[in-house]
Amino acid sequence: MTDTGQNPITDQVYKARQFCEDKGARFTLLREKVYALLLEQQGAVGAYELLDTLKLTESNAKPATVYRTLDFLLEFGLIHKIESTNAFVACHHFDCNHPVQFLICDTCGDVKEIQSVGLKDTLDKQAQSVGFRVVNQTIEAHGTCAACQ
Amino acid sequence: MTDTGQNPITDQVYKARQFCEDKGARFTLLREKVYALLLEQQGAVGAYELLDTLKLTESNAKPATVYRTLDFLLEFGLIHKIESTNAFVACHHFDCNHPVQFLICDTCGDVKEIQSVGLKDTLDKQAQSVGFRVVNQTIEAHGTCAACQ
DNA sequence: AAAATTAGTGTTATTATATAACGGTTTGTT
DNA sequence: AACAAACCGTTATATAATAACACTAATTTT
Ligand SMILES: [Zn+2]
Ligand SMILES: [Zn+2]
Ligand SMILES: [Zn+2]
Ligand SMILES: [Zn+2]
């Protein structure tokens, strides 16, 4: 599997494998499959919906199978969790250490990841002004995307 | 039950009753009890933990009892939900129409509500710049509060 | 190469969070 | 009093997530 420039998903999976191996982490077949499934989806996917899809090729998959795999992908930043919907989305920029915010369209389900440093800094600053030290942020906006208006 | 200036919780409950009645909503005993329970807690409380406490005086309370009551309180802005922990906190400013953000201490569990208009506007603007219309925001920071550092 | 260690997976069971549906009761309105 | 709407009791079920343990594959040490 190489970066051919032909298939965006294949290329992204390839990048993910390189990324993991560079960090000494094993990008197993299961992890690859789950990551690829998330790349194929548009919008976020719940763990059990993902499980159903995974079962098509991994008939013995169970909840723990999925959650363990998601935990790995989350830990290495290959995916993100949407807290307000308990769902997961693939990240395309896992190699660039970015702040994460989401715009979630409640009409079509589309999830757009934005990386606003300004937004992150604003929250950090607000916290700092009351002596709070931020370790991680959850910023999610629900509403209507451009296409749905 | 009047605003005596003696007991902050009693006063807050009184304000909540006035607020609901002004809107033609019924602030029933159940709703009052649940709101008061949340006021007594420090930090956020899960629905089932709340249920256990509620059962001490309402022995026949069930999950639906709690969730229905929480739905009402959420709808009228008397409480907020913390999406990243599936927990609920009482709001003390339900009458002033404010943006909502939370600073959640992962050490002591304290939840501080802040109301940064600047933060809200920054997110709205970021969304607007890609044609996204925001209906509601979830902004939660996890980390360490001043007291725990 | 064999042994030991660590990481990953299969499997079963359980816990935690949330909603659906239906009937009865209370409240407000006509 | 009759009616409608809102509220609550109750049972069942759906959805989301983790715990625990045995087994296997990969990596490291000897
Ligand atoms: Zn990302
Ligand atoms: Zn849309
Ligand atoms: Zn508030
Ligand atoms: Zn603290």
Side-chain angles (χ1 to χ4, degrees):
Chain A
M1 191 167 299
T2 57
D3 184 339
T4 64
Q6 304 277 6
N7 182 334
I9 292 182
T10 306
D11 290 355
Q12 194 66 25
V13 167
Y14 175 77
K15 271 173 50 186
R17 151 155 293 115
Q18 288 306 114
F19 180 75
C20 289
E21 290 178 353
D22 285 356
K23 297 203 164 190
R26 286 159 59 191
F27 195 61
T28 65
L29 189 57
L30 202 49
R31 290 163 181 177
E32 176 179 324
K33 280 191 177 181
V34 169
Y35 182 61
L37 284 178
L38 282 172
L39 284 171
E40 287 164 15
Q41 303 285 338
Q42 67 196 96
V45 194
Y48 281 75
E49 188 184 341
L50 199 55
L51 174 57
D52 287 340
T53 311
L54 185 62
K55 273 181 179 164
L56 297 177
T57 63
E58 304 281 311
S59 58
N60 54 355
K62 305 272 183 340
T65 315
V66 167
Y67 279 103
R68 272 197 296 235
T69 308
L70 290 173
D71 283 347
F72 171 88
L73 297 172
L74 284 170
E75 185 185 347
F76 283 85
L78 299 176
I79 66 173
H80 300 297
K81 179 175 184 183
I82 314 289
E83 298 290 350
S84 58
T85 57
N86 299 313
F88 303 85
V89 284
C91 175
H92 292 258
H93 318 85
F94 48 76
D95 48 355
C96 80
N97 196 282
H98 54 288
V100 185
Q101 304 103 16
F102 295 104
L103 307 178
I104 303 151
C105 179
D106 293 325
T107 302
C108 70
D110 185 61
V111 174
K112 180 164 178 52
E113 177 177 342
I114 59 178
Q115 299 96 23
S116 166
V117 174
L119 189 45
K120 176 196 188 303
D121 287 348
T122 304
L123 178 49
D124 280 343
K125 240 170 128 178
Q126 286 288 331
Q128 206 169 359
S129 73
V130 293
F132 190 97
R133 190 175 141 265
V134 175
V135 174
N136 63 65
Q137 306 184 350
T138 298
I139 299 184
E140 301 168 6
H142 282 260
T144 316
C145 77
C148 287
Q149 290 177 39
Chain B
M1 188 165 303
T2 57
D3 183 339
T4 64
Q6 304 277 8
N7 182 332
I9 291 182
T10 306
D11 290 355
Q12 193 67 25
V13 168
Y14 175 76
K15 272 174 47 185
R17 153 155 291 116
Q18 289 305 115
F19 180 76
C20 287
E21 290 177 353
D22 285 355
K23 297 202 164 191
R26 287 159 57 191
F27 195 60
T28 65
L29 188 58
L30 202 50
R31 289 163 182 176
E32 176 179 324
K33 281 192 177 182
V34 170
Y35 181 61
L37 284 178
L38 282 173
L39 283 171
E40 287 163 16
Q41 303 284 339
Q42 67 196 96
V45 194
Y48 280 78
E49 188 184 341
L50 199 54
L51 174 57
D52 287 340
T53 312
L54 185 63
K55 273 182 179 163
L56 298 176
T57 63
E58 304 280 312
S59 58
N60 55 354
K62 304 274 181 341
T65 315
V66 167
Y67 278 104
R68 271 197 298 234
T69 307
L70 290 172
D71 283 347
F72 171 87
L73 297 172
L74 284 170
E75 184 184 347
F76 283 85
L78 299 176
I79 65 172
H80 300 296
K81 179 174 185 184
I82 313 288
E83 297 290 351
S84 58
T85 57
N86 299 314
F88 303 86
V89 284
C91 175
H92 293 256
H93 318 85
F94 47 76
D95 48 354
C96 81
N97 196 282
H98 53 288
V100 186
Q101 304 103 17
F102 294 104
L103 307 179
I104 302 151
C105 179
D106 294 326
T107 301
C108 69
D110 185 60
V111 173
K112 179 165 179 51
E113 176 176 342
I114 60 177
Q115 298 96 24
S116 167
V117 175
L119 189 45
K120 176 196 188 302
D121 287 348
T122 304
L123 178 49
D124 280 343
K125 241 169 128 180
Q126 285 289 331
Q128 206 168 0
S129 73
V130 294
F132 190 97
R133 190 176 141 262
V134 174
V135 173
N136 63 66
Q137 304 184 351
T138 298
I139 299 184
E140 301 168 7
H142 282 261
T144 316
C145 77
C148 287
Q149 289 176 39

